[in-house]
Amino acid sequence: GTSDLSARFGRLSTCKRRTRERETNKKREQASANMDEDEVTKVTLKSSDDETFEVEQEVANMSETIKNLIEDAAADNDVIPLPNVSGKDLGKVIEYCKFKVSSKKKNSDGVLMSEDEVKNWETEFVKVDQGTLFQLILAANYLNIKDLLDLTCFTVASMIRGKSPEEIRKAFNIKNDFTPEEEEEVRREHQWAFD
């Protein structure tokens, strides 16, 4: 009767799951076999405005979000859609990731890049307009790239450090929506922050 039917469906779903697992494992084995042959695996990323970027998987894997999307992708030649990142911002993010990957490898002379060289490059990288900087923060957050998120947030923190609330509002074009009374109350309640 009914229990016999549900047992059959149970066995069927178990078979389907095992088949999917075998297919996934086969793809992983093929991917690792390809890497063993010194063949560079490429991934295609697609921005919110339909711009596509082909990057090495090692570079793409700096993003935990992309890494997970690659693992979940049905086929090796799938395009990974990134609906929350524009082409302009994705291009900057890829530039950063490529640099970080190459900075951890020895150059042709067998020399690693120094910490100072990396810091100097990063300092130049974040010399962008405020709009771009904030878009990079959003992209780094969405793509889950910790190093880039740390760098961009540190840059904003440096812009704020030592400034009064008025100076910060002016620097970031923030409208003051407090009444003078509300502002005075906040200053009284949080006096320690204004010392």
Side-chain angles (χ1 to χ4, degrees):
T2 314
S3 63
D4 185 43
L5 194 59
S6 61
R8 283 185 187 167
F9 277 122
R11 283 194 297 273
L12 183 62
S13 68
T14 302
C15 286
K16 283 182 177 177
R17 191 180 68 245
R18 285 188 182 138
T19 303
R20 273 197 311 271
E21 286 170 1
R22 276 196 295 274
E23 286 170 357
T24 302
N25 289 338
K26 200 182 292 180
K27 279 183 191 153
R28 283 192 181 130
E29 285 166 18
Q30 286 170 343
S32 64
N34 286 348
M35 286 181 187
D36 292 345
E37 296 166 11
D38 284 341
E39 188 180 301
V40 177
T41 307
K42 298 261 186 178
V43 178
T44 304
L45 308 175
K46 187 178 190 179
S47 68
S48 59
D49 47 357
D50 293 332
E51 209 174 321
T52 56
F53 299 84
E54 191 178 65
V55 295
E56 292 178 11
Q57 189 163 344
E58 185 181 11
V59 171
N61 282 349
M62 278 203 62
S63 160
E64 287 296 320
T65 303
I66 294 172
K67 187 176 181 181
N68 293 335
L69 289 169
I70 290 169
E71 287 172 5
D72 296 344
D76 295 342
N77 60 356
D78 277 358
V79 173
I80 308 293
L82 301 170
N84 295 3
V85 188
S86 73
K88 176 183 173 239
D89 299 328
L90 186 55
K92 281 292 277 181
V93 168
I94 291 169
E95 177 189 350
Y96 176 82
C97 292
K98 281 180 177 177
F99 173 79
K100 290 301 275 188
V101 166
S102 69
S103 73
K104 292 177 177 120
K105 294 179 180 176
K106 291 181 178 178
N107 67 14
S108 56
D109 299 330
V111 180
L112 269 174
M113 197 175 277
S114 74
E115 251 182 71
D116 282 347
E117 288 173 304
V118 172
K119 290 274 180 248
N120 290 340
W121 186 92
E122 288 180 334
T123 301
E124 288 303 311
F125 178 80
V126 290
K127 283 186 180 172
V128 292
D129 62 88
Q130 259 182 35
T132 302
L133 183 60
F134 287 117
Q135 287 305 312
L136 285 173
I137 290 173
L138 294 173
N141 186 47
Y142 168 68
L143 295 171
N144 196 358
I145 305 172
K146 187 185 180 313
D147 288 353
L148 181 57
L149 188 59
D150 289 349
L151 173 66
T152 50
C153 287
F154 177 80
T155 303
V156 172
S158 299
M159 295 163 82
I160 293 172
R161 192 176 293 117
K163 287 189 166 72
S164 70
E166 292 76 24
E167 290 170 321
I168 294 169
R169 280 192 204 104
K170 190 174 179 187
F172 294 101
N173 199 17
I174 301 169
K175 182 179 166 283
N176 183 3
D177 54 359
F178 283 120
T179 65
E181 294 77 27
E182 288 172 328
E183 195 165 340
E184 188 50 45
E185 186 181 337
V186 170
R187 285 180 187 276
R188 263 198 322 276
E189 287 175 10
H190 304 284
Q191 187 56 49
W192 58 268
F194 297 98
D195 290 340

